[in-house]
C-alpha cells in the first residue's frame, strides 16, 4: 500500500488507524495528511490518524490540499516537514497523487530537477506532469 518515492519518502492512498502501526513498523517517524477533512464519507478522520500516530510515537502534520490546486504555503509547509523529519515520512491523500505532486513541488523549491522528480514519481506509479511548469518556476527561484 505504501509506495516509495525515495528511501525516506513514502506515499499512500487514504490510510486508517491500523495502517499507522504498519507505517511505524516500516520506520516511518512522520505522517503527513494531505487530505482535507470531509472530502468523502468513507475517509478516516485526520484526528483519528493523528491520535494513532501520537500513540505510536510518530509525529503528525496536516497540510490539506483540495482539488483547487496548490498554494505557496502548502509547498513551504511540505518542504519544511520533509526537511525536519527525523526518519521516514509517509504522506497520504485519497489516492496518493496530491501527496506526490506536493512532494515534487516541495523538492523543486529546494532545487531538485523536475526530470529527476518525475522519474522518481513514475517509478512509484504517479505522474507529476500536471505540475511541471510550477516545478520549473520553483526550481528557478531556488537557483
Amino acid at each position: 500500500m505504501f509506495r516509495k518515492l525515495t528511501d525516506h519518502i513514502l506515499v499512500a492512498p487514504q490510510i486508517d488507524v491500523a495502517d499507522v502501526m504498519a507505517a511505524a513498523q516500516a520506520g516511518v517517524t512522520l505522517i503527513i495528511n494531505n487530505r482535507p477533512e470531509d472530502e468523502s464519507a468513507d475517509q478516516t478522520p485526520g484526528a483519528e490518524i493523528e491520535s494513532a500516530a501520537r500513540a505510536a510515537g510518530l509525529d503528525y502534520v496536516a497540510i490539506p490540499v483540495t482539488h483547487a490546486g496548490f498554494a505557496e504555503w502548502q509547498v513551504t509547509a511540505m518542504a519544511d516537514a520533509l526537511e525536519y523529519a527525523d526518519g521516514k515520512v509517509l504522506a497520504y491523500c485519497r489516492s496518493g497523487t496530491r501527496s506526490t505532486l506536493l512532494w515534487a513541488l516541495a523538492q523543486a523549491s529546494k532545487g531538485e530537477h523536475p526530470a529527476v522528480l518525475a522519474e522518481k514519481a513514475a517509478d512509484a506509479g504517479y505522474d507529476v506532469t500536471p505540475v511541471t511548469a510550477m516545478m520549473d518556476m520553483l526550481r528557478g527561484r531556488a537557483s
Side-chain angles (χ1 to χ4, degrees):
M1 163 176 197
F2 305 147
R3 296 184 186 186
K4 181 176 139 180
L5 293 174
T6 72
D7 288 340
H8 300 288
I9 309 298
L10 307 171
V11 293
Q14 176 67 53
I15 63 172
D16 61 27
V17 171
D19 296 320
V20 171
M21 190 52 65
Q25 292 170 346
V28 169
T29 61
L30 169 64
I31 293 177
I32 300 174
N33 177 358
N34 295 129
R35 193 158 191 200
E37 289 301 315
D38 301 318
E39 186 175 47
S40 70
D42 65 341
Q43 81 185 73
T44 304
E48 290 181 27
I49 300 296
E50 180 177 15
S51 180
R54 303 268 185 225
L58 306 180
D59 290 325
Y60 171 94
V61 65
I63 308 169
V65 177
T66 68
H67 293 287
F70 301 93
E72 191 167 348
W73 74 265
Q74 293 162 318
V75 174
T76 300
M78 186 71 152
D80 289 347
L82 296 174
E83 183 176 345
Y84 297 112
D86 186 28
K88 288 185 181 178
V89 174
L90 170 63
Y92 76 92
C93 59
R94 187 187 62 76
S95 67
T97 299
R98 281 174 281 174
S99 294
T100 300
L101 296 176
L102 187 55
W103 161 81
L105 293 170
Q107 295 305 103
S109 76
K110 298 294 184 184
E112 279 205 48
H113 197 284
V116 172
L117 297 168
E119 184 177 328
K120 290 177 183 178
D123 287 347
Y126 293 101
D127 178 12
V128 296
T129 304
V131 295
T132 299
M134 196 169 176
M135 285 191 298
D136 288 336
M137 185 263 309
L138 290 167
R139 183 169 184 255
R141 281 191 199 167
S143 299

